[in-house]
Amino acid sequence: MRDLIFVGYIALIMLMAFKRPFLFTLVYAYVDIVSPQRLSYFLLNSIPLSLILFALAFLGFALGDDKKDVRVSPRWFLLILLLGYCGYTTSVAVEPVAALDKWNWVWKALVFAAFLPLTLRTKLRMEATILTMVLCASALIVTGGIKTAAGGGGYGSLVILIDDNSGLFEGSIVSCVAITIIPLILWLAKHGTIFKPDWKVRAYAACLIFACLLIPVGTQARTGIVCIAVLGILLLRYVRHRMLYLGAVALVGLAAVPFLPSSFTTRADTIKNYKADESASTRLAVWAWTWEYVKEHPLGGGFDVYRQNRIRYDMEQKSNPAQPADYDAPAVREIVDEGRAFHSSYFEMLGEQGFPGLLMWLIIHLGGVWRMEVVSRLYRKRNRPDEAWVAPLATALQNSQIVYLVGSLFVGIAFQTFFYMLIALQISFDTYLARRRKEAAWRPLTSRRKLAEA
């Protein structure tokens, strides 16, 4: 029955998309984020749904879109260059089978990110894409938030839609996504036009933000805790009454502590006591191994090169209150492990793509933070009613990007499609505004010339 519902829903949207071909792009985003084919028992997971939808989205653009408004930026060319470079490192990867498996979905993420700026050439299309990303993510986040509120959370035990530990269904990744989209939710609740920002939209936005904040509690992912702190600091920059904001945050934080499960506070405490936490100590050891590996292989080892690591390190022994005070326990214990993942996007890029790949990746992301700051400052001083949405969107995209960059320090999400959609939105937004400024500067000259000829 569930398969029939999914098939009917997607078929209905696809029928609508044949009249409005851009909808194929949004349907592809939905399939990539929610992964209905993984929720299906038979019908959807037996066909290459993503490939079909992307082909239809590209054909819709190629045959039905006006190409005169298409603009690209230097970061768009860097995306293409990164795609080609990843293809090269895959061809010479030290783990060829595993590398090819990862390449099979990475190239799709990069190609779709490069495709989006070509078709997101209007404000309506950009807003529709943002709305689709938020609502698709909310399908996972609301489910996780309800289960957390009902007491069903726990590290590695919060099941979101399906019992899976990959993609957006993994705890740390969905926690990072949940906090990343909060700035976009706030923008839609104030400046959205597809759904007018009335009390119903604002009420849903408030509930969705609450669910987003619950996800790190339910998953007990330390990444989400750090992301919440970073977002709180970023929002402080733009609030009018900062002391009132700080007081409200502190009050809410203190009021929430008694309701947090003890397992959550215990796990959060390992952020500062990382030397006594095996997970954190293992990450540090893997990062050290990655640095040594890349010094010998500056072009990286290709996807999943971490399978080559063999690590050995000493971890501080946790104190045991049950032992007598004079118990002569060893201060450290030796840990031996192998094939441990990077657990950091930065070291993921460094180990797999070497220094060239890491440099391209950093320029793509940090370039987005810089460009959104430029746009925000440029339009913040304007008072035209039709541009009131611009500076807030630039700020929202920038804050989302910064939250991602901090969260990705602790989880390997360097190639997650959701975040490349954010990059594509930034590029589309930036080039759209550049085109508008150029047209605005051209119109007065044209008018004066016609007046002189008359």
Side-chain angles (χ1 to χ4, degrees), residues 344-366:
S344 170
S345 297
Y346 298 83
F347 285 95
E348 178 186 1
M349 289 300 302
L350 181 63
E352 294 182 345
Q353 311 305 324
F355 292 109
L358 177 62
L359 181 61
M360 284 185 280
W361 186 81
L362 287 174
I363 293 174
I364 288 170
H365 286 281
L366 295 178

Side-chain angles (χ1 to χ4, degrees), residues 129-417:
T129 304
I130 294 172
L131 182 63
T132 299
M133 292 171 63
V134 168
L135 292 180
C136 288
S138 73
L140 284 67
I141 292 166
V142 170
T143 302
I146 292 173
K147 290 184 177 181
T148 300
Y155 181 65
S157 62
L158 180 65
V159 178
I160 301 177
L161 294 183
I162 56 172
D163 189 5
D164 199 334
N165 198 37
S166 61
L168 266 64
F169 298 98
E170 196 275 330
S172 295
I173 298 177
V174 73
S175 294
C176 186
V177 169
I179 309 305
T180 296
I181 67 171
I182 289 178
L184 300 178
I185 297 171
L186 292 172
W187 182 82
L188 287 169
K190 187 174 182 180
H191 299 281
T193 57
I194 297 176
F195 292 104
K196 299 293 184 182
D198 57 12
W199 69 269
K200 296 187 293 292
V201 169
R202 292 192 178 95
Y204 181 77
C207 293
L208 181 54
I209 290 173
F210 181 64
C212 290
L213 296 174
L214 282 178
I215 289 297
V217 178
T219 60
Q220 296 186 6
R222 291 165 293 192
T223 302
I225 302 172
V226 175
C227 288
I228 290 175
V230 171
L231 180 59
I233 295 171
L234 291 172
L235 294 178
L236 180 63
R237 178 184 176 188
Y238 298 100
V239 296
R240 291 184 178 180
H241 307 288
R242 295 184 178 179
M243 295 306 297
L244 183 62
Y245 170 80
L246 289 173
V249 170
L251 183 62
V252 171
L254 290 174
V257 169
F259 299 97
L260 296 175
S262 59
S263 56
F264 171 79
T265 54
T266 300
R267 183 163 175 79
D269 187 59
T270 60
I271 294 176
K272 60 180 181 180
N273 297 326
Y274 67 92
K275 291 183 179 179
D277 180 69
E278 185 171 342
S279 175
S281 299
T282 301
R283 294 184 188 199
L284 294 175
V286 171
W287 297 348
W289 174 88
T290 304
W291 177 250
E292 294 300 323
Y293 179 86
V294 176
K295 285 198 294 186
E296 297 181 8
H297 307 84
L299 298 183
F303 292 129
D304 283 3
V305 67
Y306 70 84
R307 296 172 184 269
Q308 297 280 314
N309 66 44
R310 305 289 185 274
I311 56 177
R312 183 190 302 268
Y313 61 93
D314 293 331
M315 191 186 78
E316 288 186 4
Q317 185 75 36
K318 292 183 179 180
S319 60
N320 187 354
Q323 297 292 354
D326 58 348
Y327 177 72
D328 188 20
V332 296
R333 64 187 176 98
E334 186 180 65
I335 304 292
V336 178
D337 210 339
E338 62 182 44
R340 294 302 296 264
F342 296 106
H343 288 292
S344 170
S345 297
Y346 298 83
F347 285 95
E348 178 186 1
M349 289 300 302
L350 181 63
E352 294 182 345
Q353 311 305 324
F355 292 109
L358 177 62
L359 181 61
M360 284 185 280
W361 186 81
L362 287 174
I363 293 174
I364 288 170
H365 286 281
L366 295 178
V369 174
W370 174 68
R371 283 303 307 166
M372 293 304 98
E373 180 68 19
V374 171
V375 170
S376 178
R377 293 192 178 192
L378 177 61
Y379 283 85
R380 201 181 304 158
K381 301 175 182 178
R382 300 195 180 199
N383 55 8
R384 290 180 53 178
D386 62 329
E387 294 178 343
W389 61 277
V390 175
L393 180 55
T395 299
L397 290 171
Q398 183 190 57
N399 288 346
S400 294
Q401 186 85 24
I402 293 173
V403 170
Y404 162 73
L405 287 172
V406 174
S408 62
L409 282 167
F410 312 105
V411 60
I413 48 177
F415 292 102
Q416 277 294 325
T417 309

Side-chain angles (χ1 to χ4, degrees), residues 29 33 90 97 293 297 343 351-352 354 361 367 427-428 439:
I33 295 171
T90 301
V97 177
Y293 179 86
H297 307 84
H343 288 292
E352 294 182 345
W361 186 81
I427 295 173
S428 306
E439 291 173 351

